[in-house]
Amino acid sequence: MLKPLADRVLVKVEEEETKTKGGILLPDTAQKKSQKGIVAAVGNGKITDAGQRIPMEVKVGDEVLFAKYSGTDVEDNGEKYLLLSERDILAVL
């Protein structure tokens, strides 16, 4: 499992439906990018200029909503994740 550094968060992105309700298969280009996921791992927190560590606000297992075009797509052991900064997380659901 990947271990994020500083204020980074590893999120397991929820897969979007690849078919419409009528059964039509959607190509990858027509599918919208998910903005929800489950936190799989978190870093230790950001360190300020004064040397103080700011603890993370999210924890492993939280379901989160994140900014639409944020983060970096990462694959680990065949699983797809999104590595993003904690500030890109908009809410805990």
Side-chain angles (χ1 to χ4, degrees):
M1 173 62 76
L2 296 171
K3 174 68 175 154
L5 300 176
D7 66 337
R8 301 281 190 245
V9 179
L10 190 66
V11 175
K12 174 79 171 121
V13 180
E14 294 179 358
E15 295 292 326
E16 291 292 322
E17 289 293 321
T18 57
K19 289 185 181 180
T20 64
K21 290 180 182 178
I24 298 172
L25 195 61
L26 295 173
D28 290 341
T29 56
Q31 294 176 21
K32 65 179 186 175
K33 186 176 177 183
S34 178
Q35 290 180 263
K36 287 194 277 185
I38 305 293
V39 175
V42 296
N44 292 328
K46 187 175 182 178
I47 297 177
T48 65
D49 292 335
Q52 299 290 330
R53 187 172 297 275
I54 301 171
M56 301 292 282
E57 292 186 48
V58 295
K59 61 184 180 309
V60 174
D62 284 349
E63 184 176 8
V64 295
L65 179 69
F66 50 86
K68 190 167 191 158
Y69 296 106
S70 61
T72 302
D73 293 322
V74 177
E75 191 169 327
D76 184 40
N77 294 329
E79 296 286 329
K80 293 182 181 180
Y81 296 96
L82 187 65
L83 185 62
L84 50 103
S85 177
E86 185 182 33
R87 70 174 174 254
D88 292 330
I89 295 176
L90 306 174
V92 176
L93 304 173

Coordinates of all heavy atoms in Angstrom, one line a residue:
M1 N 0.9 -1.2 0.0 CA 0.0 0.0 0.0 C 0.9 1.2 0.0 O 1.9 1.3 0.7 CB -0.9 0.0 1.2 CG -1.7 1.3 1.4 SD -2.9 1.7 0.2 CE -4.2 0.6 0.4
L2 N 0.5 2.2 -0.8 CA 1.3 3.5 -0.8 C 1.0 4.3 0.4 O 0.0 4.2 1.0 CB 0.8 4.3 -2.0 CG 1.0 3.7 -3.4 CD1 0.3 4.5 -4.5 CD2 2.5 3.7 -3.7
K3 N 2.1 5.0 0.9 CA 2.0 5.8 2.1 C 2.2 7.3 1.7 O 3.3 7.6 1.3 CB 3.0 5.4 3.1 CG 3.1 6.3 4.3 CD 1.9 6.2 5.2 CE 2.1 7.0 6.4 NZ 0.9 7.5 7.0
P4 N 1.1 8.1 1.7 CA 1.3 9.5 1.3 C 2.2 10.3 2.3 O 2.3 9.9 3.4 CB -0.1 10.0 1.4 CG -1.0 8.9 1.5 CD -0.2 7.7 2.0
L5 N 2.8 11.3 1.8 CA 3.7 12.1 2.6 C 3.0 13.4 2.9 O 2.1 13.9 2.2 CB 5.0 12.4 1.8 CG 5.8 11.2 1.5 CD1 7.0 11.7 0.6 CD2 6.3 10.5 2.7
A6 N 3.4 14.0 4.0 CA 2.9 15.4 4.5 C 1.4 15.5 4.5 O 0.8 14.7 5.2 CB 3.6 16.5 3.6
D7 N 0.8 16.4 3.8 CA -0.6 16.6 3.8 C -1.3 16.0 2.6 O -2.4 16.4 2.1 CB -0.9 18.1 3.9 CG -0.5 18.8 2.6 OD1 0.3 18.4 1.9 OD2 -1.1 19.9 2.4
R8 N -0.8 14.9 2.1 CA -1.4 14.2 1.0 C -2.3 13.1 1.5 O -2.1 12.5 2.5 CB -0.3 13.5 0.1 CG 0.7 14.5 -0.5 CD 0.1 15.3 -1.7 NE 1.1 16.0 -2.3 CZ 1.1 17.4 -2.4 NH1 0.1 18.0 -1.8 NH2 2.0 18.0 -3.0
V9 N -3.3 12.8 0.6 CA -4.3 11.8 1.0 C -4.5 10.8 -0.2 O -4.5 11.3 -1.4 CB -5.7 12.4 1.3 CG1 -6.7 11.4 1.6 CG2 -5.5 13.4 2.4
L10 N -4.5 9.5 0.0 CA -4.8 8.5 -1.0 C -6.2 8.1 -0.9 O -6.7 7.6 0.1 CB -3.9 7.3 -0.8 CG -3.8 6.3 -1.9 CD1 -3.2 6.8 -3.2 CD2 -3.0 5.0 -1.4
V11 N -7.0 8.3 -2.0 CA -8.4 8.1 -2.1 C -8.7 7.0 -3.1 O -8.2 7.0 -4.2 CB -9.2 9.4 -2.4 CG1 -10.6 9.1 -2.6 CG2 -8.9 10.4 -1.4
K12 N -9.5 6.0 -2.7 CA -10.0 5.0 -3.6 C -11.3 5.5 -4.2 O -12.3 5.8 -3.6 CB -10.4 3.7 -2.8 CG -11.0 2.6 -3.6 CD -10.0 1.9 -4.5 CE -10.7 0.7 -5.1 NZ -10.6 0.7 -6.5
V13 N -11.2 5.8 -5.5 CA -12.3 6.5 -6.2 C -13.4 5.6 -6.5 O -13.1 4.4 -7.0 CB -11.7 7.2 -7.5 CG1 -12.8 7.9 -8.3 CG2 -10.6 8.1 -7.2
E14 N -14.6 6.0 -6.2 CA -15.8 5.2 -6.6 C -16.0 5.2 -8.1 O -15.9 6.2 -8.7 CB -17.0 5.8 -5.9 CG -17.0 5.7 -4.4 CD -18.2 6.3 -3.7 OE1 -19.1 6.8 -4.4 OE2 -18.2 6.3 -2.5
E15 N -16.2 4.0 -8.6 CA -16.3 3.9 -10.1 C -17.7 4.4 -10.5 O -18.7 4.1 -9.8 CB -16.2 2.4 -10.5 CG -14.8 1.8 -10.2 CD -13.8 2.4 -11.2 OE1 -14.1 2.7 -12.3 OE2 -12.6 2.6 -10.7
E16 N -17.7 5.1 -11.6 CA -19.0 5.5 -12.2 C -19.6 4.4 -13.0 O -18.9 3.5 -13.5 CB -18.8 6.8 -13.0 CG -18.4 8.0 -12.2 CD -19.5 8.5 -11.3 OE1 -20.7 8.5 -11.8 OE2 -19.2 8.9 -10.2
E17 N -20.9 4.5 -13.2 CA -21.6 3.5 -14.1 C -21.1 3.6 -15.5 O -20.9 4.7 -16.0 CB -23.1 3.8 -14.1 CG -23.7 3.4 -12.8 CD -23.7 1.9 -12.5 OE1 -23.9 1.1 -13.4 OE2 -23.5 1.6 -11.3
T18 N -20.9 2.5 -16.2 CA -20.4 2.5 -17.6 C -21.6 2.3 -18.5 O -21.4 2.3 -19.7 CB -19.4 1.4 -17.8 OG1 -19.9 0.1 -17.4 CG2 -18.1 1.7 -17.0
K19 N -22.8 2.1 -17.9 CA -24.0 1.9 -18.8 C -25.0 2.9 -18.3 O -25.1 3.3 -17.1 CB -24.6 0.5 -18.6 CG -23.8 -0.6 -19.2 CD -24.5 -1.9 -19.1 CE -23.7 -3.0 -19.7 NZ -24.4 -4.3 -19.6
T20 N -25.9 3.3 -19.2 CA -27.0 4.1 -18.9 C -28.1 3.3 -18.3 O -28.0 2.0 -18.4 CB -27.6 4.9 -20.1 OG1 -28.1 3.9 -21.1 CG2 -26.5 5.7 -20.8
K21 N -29.2 3.9 -17.8 CA -30.3 3.1 -17.3 C -30.9 2.2 -18.3 O -31.5 1.2 -18.1 CB -31.3 4.0 -16.6 CG -30.8 4.6 -15.4 CD -31.9 5.5 -14.8 CE -31.3 6.2 -13.5 NZ -32.2 7.1 -12.9
G22 N -30.8 2.6 -19.6 CA -31.4 1.9 -20.7 C -30.5 0.8 -21.2 O -30.9 0.0 -22.1
G23 N -29.3 0.7 -20.6 CA -28.4 -0.4 -21.0 C -27.4 0.0 -22.1 O -26.6 -0.9 -22.5
I24 N -27.3 1.2 -22.5 CA -26.3 1.7 -23.5 C -25.0 1.8 -22.8 O -24.8 2.4 -21.8 CB -26.8 3.0 -24.1 CG1 -28.1 2.8 -24.8 CG2 -25.7 3.5 -25.1 CD1 -28.7 4.1 -25.3
L25 N -24.0 1.2 -23.4 CA -22.6 1.2 -22.9 C -22.0 2.6 -23.3 O -21.9 3.0 -24.4 CB -21.8 0.1 -23.5 CG -20.5 -0.2 -22.9 CD1 -20.7 -0.7 -21.4 CD2 -19.8 -1.3 -23.7
L26 N -21.4 3.3 -22.2 CA -20.8 4.6 -22.4 C -19.3 4.4 -22.7 O -18.6 3.7 -21.9 CB -21.0 5.5 -21.2 CG -22.4 5.9 -20.9 CD1 -22.5 6.6 -19.6 CD2 -23.0 6.8 -22.0
P27 N -18.7 5.1 -23.7 CA -17.3 5.1 -23.9 C -16.6 5.9 -22.8 O -17.2 6.7 -22.1 CB -17.1 5.7 -25.2 CG -18.3 6.6 -25.4 CD -19.4 5.9 -24.7
D28 N -15.3 5.7 -22.5 CA -14.6 6.4 -21.5 C -14.7 7.9 -21.6 O -14.7 8.6 -20.7 CB -13.1 6.0 -21.5 CG -12.9 4.6 -21.0 OD1 -13.8 4.0 -20.4 OD2 -11.8 4.0 -21.3
T29 N -14.7 8.4 -22.9 CA -14.7 9.9 -23.1 C -16.1 10.5 -22.7 O -16.1 11.7 -22.4 CB -14.5 10.2 -24.6 OG1 -15.4 9.5 -25.4 CG2 -13.1 9.8 -25.0
A30 N -17.1 9.7 -22.6 CA -18.4 10.2 -22.3 C -18.7 10.1 -20.8 O -19.7 10.6 -20.3 CB -19.5 9.5 -23.1
Q31 N -17.9 9.3 -20.0 CA -18.2 9.1 -18.6 C -17.7 10.3 -17.8 O -16.6 10.9 -18.1 CB -17.4 7.9 -18.1 CG -18.0 6.6 -18.7 CD -17.2 5.4 -18.3 OE1 -16.5 5.4 -17.3 NE2 -17.3 4.3 -19.1
K32 N -18.4 10.7 -16.8 CA -18.0 11.8 -16.0 C -17.0 11.3 -14.9 O -17.2 10.2 -14.5 CB -19.1 12.6 -15.4 CG -20.0 11.8 -14.4 CD -21.1 12.7 -13.9 CE -21.8 11.9 -12.8 NZ -22.8 12.7 -12.1
K33 N -16.1 12.1 -14.5 CA -15.1 11.8 -13.5 C -15.8 11.8 -12.1 O -16.4 12.8 -11.8 CB -13.9 12.7 -13.5 CG -12.8 12.3 -12.6 CD -11.6 13.2 -12.8 CE -10.5 12.8 -11.8 NZ -9.4 13.7 -12.0
S34 N -15.6 10.8 -11.3 CA -16.2 10.8 -10.0 C -15.6 11.8 -9.1 O -14.4 12.1 -9.2 CB -16.1 9.4 -9.4 OG -16.6 9.4 -8.0
Q35 N -16.3 12.3 -8.1 CA -15.8 13.3 -7.2 C -15.9 12.8 -5.8 O -15.7 13.5 -4.8 CB -16.6 14.6 -7.3 CG -16.3 15.4 -8.6 CD -17.0 16.7 -8.6 OE1 -18.1 16.7 -9.2 NE2 -16.5 17.7 -8.0
K36 N -16.3 11.5 -5.6 CA -16.4 10.8 -4.3 C -15.5 9.7 -4.2 O -15.2 9.0 -5.2 CB -17.8 10.4 -4.1 CG -18.8 11.5 -3.8 CD -20.1 10.9 -3.3 CE -21.0 10.4 -4.4 NZ -22.3 9.9 -3.9
G37 N -15.0 9.4 -3.0 CA -14.2 8.2 -2.8 C -14.0 8.0 -1.3 O -14.5 8.7 -0.4
I38 N -13.3 6.9 -1.0 CA -13.0 6.5 0.4 C -11.5 6.7 0.6 O -10.7 6.2 -0.2 CB -13.4 5.0 0.6 CG1 -14.8 4.7 0.2 CG2 -13.1 4.5 2.0 CD1 -15.8 5.3 1.1
V39 N -11.2 7.3 1.8 CA -9.8 7.5 2.1 C -9.1 6.2 2.4 O -9.6 5.5 3.3 CB -9.7 8.5 3.3 CG1 -8.2 8.7 3.8 CG2 -10.3 9.9 3.0
A40 N -8.0 5.9 1.7 CA -7.3 4.6 1.9 C -6.1 4.8 2.8 O -5.7 3.9 3.5 CB -6.9 4.0 0.6
A41 N -5.5 6.0 2.7 CA -4.3 6.3 3.5 C -4.1 7.8 3.6 O -4.5 8.5 2.7 CB -3.0 5.6 2.9
V42 N -3.5 8.2 4.7 CA -3.2 9.7 4.9 C -1.8 9.9 5.3 O -1.1 9.0 5.9 CB -4.1 10.3 5.9 CG1 -5.6 10.3 5.5 CG2 -4.0 9.6 7.3
G43 N -1.2 11.0 5.0 CA 0.1 11.4 5.4 C 0.1 11.8 6.9 O -0.9 11.8 7.6
N44 N 1.3 12.2 7.4 CA 1.4 12.6 8.8 C 0.9 14.0 9.1 O 0.8 14.4 10.2 CB 2.8 12.4 9.2 CG 3.2 11.0 9.3 OD1 2.4 10.1 9.6 ND2 4.5 10.7 9.0
G45 N 0.7 14.8 8.1 CA 0.3 16.2 8.2 C 1.4 17.2 7.8 O 2.6 16.8 7.7
K46 N 1.0 18.4 7.5 CA 1.9 19.4 7.0 C 2.7 20.0 8.2 O 2.2 20.2 9.3 CB 1.1 20.5 6.4 CG 1.9 21.6 5.7 CD 1.0 22.5 4.9 CE 1.8 23.6 4.2 NZ 1.0 24.5 3.5
I47 N 3.9 20.4 7.9 CA 4.8 21.0 8.9 C 4.9 22.5 8.6 O 5.2 22.9 7.4 CB 6.2 20.4 8.9 CG1 6.1 18.9 9.3 CG2 7.1 21.1 9.8 CD1 7.4 18.2 9.3
T48 N 4.6 23.3 9.6 CA 4.6 24.8 9.4 C 6.1 25.3 9.4 O 7.0 24.5 9.7 CB 3.9 25.5 10.5 OG1 4.5 25.2 11.8 CG2 2.4 25.0 10.6
D49 N 6.2 26.6 9.1 CA 7.6 27.2 9.1 C 8.2 27.1 10.5 O 9.4 27.1 10.7 CB 7.5 28.6 8.6 CG 7.2 28.7 7.2 OD1 7.4 27.7 6.4 OD2 6.6 29.7 6.7
A50 N 7.3 27.1 11.6 CA 7.8 27.1 12.9 C 8.2 25.6 13.4 O 8.6 25.4 14.5 CB 6.7 27.6 13.9
G51 N 8.0 24.7 12.5 CA 8.3 23.3 12.8 C 7.2 22.5 13.5 O 7.4 21.4 13.9
Q52 N 6.0 23.1 13.6 CA 4.9 22.4 14.2 C 4.2 21.6 13.1 O 4.0 22.0 12.0 CB 3.9 23.4 14.8 CG 4.4 24.3 15.9 CD 4.7 23.5 17.1 OE1 4.0 22.5 17.4 NE2 5.7 23.9 17.9
R53 N 3.7 20.4 13.5 CA 3.0 19.5 12.5 C 1.5 19.7 12.7 O 1.0 19.6 13.8 CB 3.3 18.0 12.8 CG 2.7 17.2 11.7 CD 3.2 15.7 11.8 NE 4.6 15.5 11.6 CZ 5.2 15.4 10.3 NH1 4.4 15.5 9.3 NH2 6.5 15.2 10.2
I54 N 0.8 20.1 11.6 CA -0.6 20.2 11.6 C -1.3 18.9 11.4 O -1.1 18.3 10.3 CB -1.1 21.3 10.6 CG1 -0.4 22.6 10.8 CG2 -2.6 21.4 10.6 CD1 -0.6 23.6 9.7
P55 N -2.1 18.4 12.3 CA -2.7 17.0 12.1 C -3.7 17.0 10.9 O -4.3 18.1 10.6 CB -3.3 16.7 13.4 CG -3.5 18.0 14.1 CD -2.4 18.9 13.6
M56 N -3.9 15.9 10.3 CA -4.8 15.7 9.2 C -6.3 15.8 9.8 O -6.5 15.3 10.9 CB -4.6 14.4 8.5 CG -3.2 14.3 7.9 SD -2.9 15.3 6.6 CE -3.7 14.5 5.3
E57 N -7.2 16.3 9.0 CA -8.6 16.4 9.3 C -9.4 15.2 8.9 O -10.4 15.0 9.4 CB -9.2 17.7 8.8 CG -8.7 18.9 9.4 CD -9.4 20.2 8.9 OE1 -10.7 20.2 8.9 OE2 -8.7 21.1 8.5
V58 N -8.8 14.4 8.0 CA -9.5 13.2 7.5 C -8.7 12.0 8.0 O -7.6 12.1 8.3 CB -9.6 13.2 6.0 CG1 -10.5 14.3 5.5 CG2 -8.3 13.2 5.3
K59 N -9.4 10.9 8.1 CA -8.8 9.6 8.5 C -9.2 8.5 7.6 O -10.1 8.6 6.8 CB -9.2 9.3 9.9 CG -10.7 9.1 10.1 CD -11.0 8.9 11.6 CE -12.5 8.6 11.9 NZ -13.4 9.6 11.3
V60 N -8.5 7.4 7.6 CA -8.7 6.3 6.8 C -10.2 5.8 7.0 O -10.6 5.7 8.1 CB -7.7 5.1 7.1 CG1 -8.1 3.9 6.3 CG2 -6.3 5.6 6.8
G61 N -10.9 5.5 5.9 CA -12.2 5.1 6.0 C -13.3 6.1 5.8 O -14.4 5.8 5.5
D62 N -12.9 7.4 5.9 CA -13.8 8.5 5.6 C -14.2 8.5 4.1 O -13.4 8.3 3.2 CB -13.2 9.9 5.9 CG -13.1 10.2 7.4 OD1 -13.7 9.5 8.2 OD2 -12.4 11.2 7.7
E63 N -15.5 8.8 3.9 CA -16.0 9.0 2.5 C -15.9 10.5 2.3 O -16.5 11.3 3.1 CB -17.5 8.5 2.4 CG -17.9 8.6 0.9 CD -19.3 8.0 0.7 OE1 -20.0 7.7 1.7 OE2 -19.7 8.0 -0.4
V64 N -15.2 10.9 1.2 CA -15.0 12.3 1.0 C -15.5 12.7 -0.4 O -15.6 11.9 -1.3 CB -13.5 12.6 1.1 CG1 -13.0 12.4 2.6 CG2 -12.6 11.8 0.2
L65 N -15.7 14.0 -0.5 CA -16.0 14.7 -1.8 C -14.8 15.6 -2.1 O -14.4 16.3 -1.2 CB -17.3 15.5 -1.6 CG -17.8 16.4 -2.8 CD1 -18.3 15.4 -3.9 CD2 -18.9 17.3 -2.3
F66 N -14.3 15.5 -3.3 CA -13.1 16.3 -3.6 C -13.3 17.1 -4.9 O -14.2 16.8 -5.7 CB -11.9 15.4 -3.7 CG -12.0 14.2 -4.6 CD1 -11.8 14.2 -5.9 CD2 -12.4 12.9 -4.0 CE1 -12.0 13.1 -6.7 CE2 -12.6 11.8 -4.8 CZ -12.4 11.9 -6.2
A67 N -12.4 18.0 -5.1 CA -12.5 18.9 -6.3 C -12.4 18.1 -7.6 O -11.7 17.1 -7.7 CB -11.4 19.9 -6.3
K68 N -13.1 18.5 -8.6 CA -13.3 17.7 -9.8 C -12.0 17.3 -10.6 O -11.8 16.1 -10.9 CB -14.3 18.4 -10.8 CG -14.7 17.5 -11.9 CD -15.8 18.1 -12.7 CE -16.4 17.1 -13.7 NZ -17.8 17.4 -14.0
Y69 N -11.1 18.2 -10.8 CA -9.9 17.9 -11.6 C -8.7 18.0 -10.7 O -7.6 18.4 -11.2 CB -9.8 18.9 -12.7 CG -11.0 18.8 -13.7 CD1 -12.0 19.7 -13.8 CD2 -11.0 17.7 -14.5 CE1 -13.0 19.5 -14.6 CE2 -12.1 17.5 -15.4 CZ -13.1 18.4 -15.5 OH -14.1 18.3 -16.3
S70 N -8.8 17.5 -9.5 CA -7.6 17.5 -8.6 C -6.9 16.2 -8.5 O -7.5 15.2 -8.9 CB -8.1 17.9 -7.2 OG -9.0 17.0 -6.7
G71 N -5.7 16.2 -8.0 CA -5.0 15.0 -7.7 C -4.3 14.4 -8.9 O -4.4 14.8 -10.0
T72 N -3.6 13.3 -8.6 CA -2.9 12.5 -9.6 C -3.4 11.0 -9.5 O -3.5 10.4 -8.5 CB -1.4 12.5 -9.2 OG1 -0.9 13.9 -9.2 CG2 -0.6 11.7 -10.2
D73 N -3.7 10.5 -10.7 CA -4.2 9.1 -10.8 C -3.0 8.2 -10.5 O -1.9 8.4 -11.1 CB -4.7 8.8 -12.2 CG -6.0 9.6 -12.4 OD1 -6.8 9.7 -11.5 OD2 -6.2 10.0 -13.6
V74 N -3.2 7.2 -9.6 CA -2.2 6.3 -9.2 C -2.7 4.9 -9.2 O -3.9 4.7 -8.9 CB -1.6 6.6 -7.8 CG1 -0.6 5.6 -7.4 CG2 -1.1 8.0 -7.7
E75 N -1.9 3.9 -9.7 CA -2.4 2.5 -9.6 C -1.4 1.7 -8.8 O -0.2 1.8 -8.9 CB -2.5 1.9 -11.0 CG -3.1 0.6 -11.1 CD -3.4 0.1 -12.5 OE1 -3.7 1.0 -13.4 OE2 -3.4 -1.1 -12.7
D76 N -2.0 0.9 -7.8 CA -1.2 0.1 -6.9 C -1.8 -1.3 -6.8 O -3.0 -1.4 -6.4 CB -1.0 0.7 -5.6 CG -0.1 0.0 -4.6 OD1 0.9 -0.5 -5.1 OD2 -0.5 -0.1 -3.4
N77 N -1.1 -2.3 -7.2 CA -1.6 -3.7 -7.1 C -2.9 -3.9 -7.9 O -3.8 -4.5 -7.4 CB -1.8 -4.2 -5.7 CG -0.5 -4.3 -5.0 OD1 0.6 -4.6 -5.6 ND2 -0.5 -4.1 -3.7
G78 N -3.0 -3.2 -9.0 CA -4.2 -3.3 -9.9 C -5.4 -2.5 -9.4 O -6.4 -2.4 -10.1
E79 N -5.3 -1.8 -8.3 CA -6.3 -0.9 -7.8 C -6.1 0.6 -8.2 O -4.9 1.0 -8.2 CB -6.4 -0.9 -6.2 CG -6.7 -2.3 -5.7 CD -8.2 -2.6 -5.9 OE1 -9.0 -1.7 -5.8 OE2 -8.5 -3.8 -6.0
K80 N -7.1 1.3 -8.6 CA -7.0 2.7 -9.0 C -7.3 3.6 -7.8 O -8.3 3.5 -7.1 CB -7.9 3.0 -10.2 CG -7.5 2.2 -11.4 CD -8.4 2.6 -12.6 CE -8.0 1.8 -13.8 NZ -8.8 2.1 -14.9
Y81 N -6.3 4.6 -7.6 CA -6.4 5.6 -6.5 C -6.2 7.0 -7.1 O -5.7 7.1 -8.2 CB -5.4 5.3 -5.5 CG -5.5 4.0 -4.8 CD1 -4.8 2.9 -5.2 CD2 -6.4 3.8 -3.7 CE1 -4.9 1.6 -4.5 CE2 -6.5 2.6 -3.0 CZ -5.7 1.5 -3.4 OH -5.9 0.3 -2.8
L82 N -6.5 7.9 -6.3 CA -6.2 9.3 -6.6 C -5.4 9.9 -5.4 O -5.8 9.7 -4.2 CB -7.5 10.1 -6.7 CG -7.4 11.5 -7.2 CD1 -6.9 11.6 -8.6 CD2 -8.8 12.2 -7.1
L83 N -4.2 10.4 -5.7 CA -3.4 11.0 -4.7 C -3.6 12.5 -4.8 O -3.3 13.1 -5.8 CB -1.9 10.6 -4.9 CG -0.9 11.1 -3.9 CD1 -1.2 10.5 -2.5 CD2 0.5 10.8 -4.4
L84 N -4.1 13.1 -3.7 CA -4.4 14.5 -3.7 C -4.0 15.2 -2.4 O -3.8 14.5 -1.4 CB -5.8 14.8 -4.0 CG -6.9 14.0 -3.3 CD1 -7.6 14.9 -2.2 CD2 -8.0 13.6 -4.2
S85 N -3.9 16.5 -2.4 CA -3.6 17.3 -1.2 C -4.9 17.4 -0.4 O -6.0 17.4 -0.9 CB -3.2 18.7 -1.7 OG -3.0 19.5 -0.5
E86 N -4.7 17.5 0.9 CA -5.9 17.5 1.8 C -6.7 18.8 1.5 O -7.9 18.7 1.7 CB -5.4 17.6 3.3 CG -6.6 17.5 4.3 CD -6.2 17.6 5.7 OE1 -5.2 18.2 6.0 OE2 -6.8 17.0 6.5
R87 N -6.1 19.8 1.1 CA -6.9 21.1 0.8 C -7.8 20.9 -0.4 O -8.7 21.7 -0.6 CB -6.0 22.2 0.5 CG -5.2 22.2 -0.7 CD -4.4 23.5 -1.0 NE -3.5 23.3 -2.1 CZ -2.2 23.1 -2.1 NH1 -1.6 23.1 -0.9 NH2 -1.5 22.9 -3.2
D88 N -7.6 19.8 -1.3 CA -8.5 19.5 -2.4 C -9.8 18.8 -1.9 O -10.7 18.6 -2.7 CB -7.8 18.8 -3.5 CG -6.7 19.6 -4.2 OD1 -6.9 20.8 -4.2 OD2 -5.7 19.0 -4.6
I89 N -9.8 18.3 -0.7 CA -11.0 17.6 -0.2 C -12.0 18.7 0.3 O -11.6 19.6 1.1 CB -10.6 16.7 1.0 CG1 -9.7 15.6 0.4 CG2 -11.9 16.1 1.6 CD1 -9.2 14.6 1.5
L90 N -13.2 18.6 -0.3 CA -14.2 19.7 0.0 C -15.0 19.3 1.2 O -15.5 20.2 1.9 CB -15.1 19.8 -1.2 CG -14.3 20.1 -2.5 CD1 -15.3 20.1 -3.7 CD2 -13.6 21.5 -2.4
A91 N -15.3 18.0 1.4 CA -16.2 17.7 2.5 C -16.0 16.2 2.9 O -15.6 15.4 2.0 CB -17.7 17.9 2.2
V92 N -16.4 15.8 4.1 CA -16.5 14.5 4.5 C -18.0 14.1 4.6 O -18.8 14.8 5.1 CB -15.8 14.3 6.0 CG1 -16.0 12.8 6.4 CG2 -14.4 14.6 5.9
L93 N -18.3 13.1 3.9 CA -19.8 12.7 3.7 C -20.2 11.8 4.9 O -19.4 11.1 5.5 CB -20.0 12.0 2.4 CG -19.6 12.8 1.2 CD1 -19.7 12.0 -0.1 CD2 -20.4 14.1 1.0

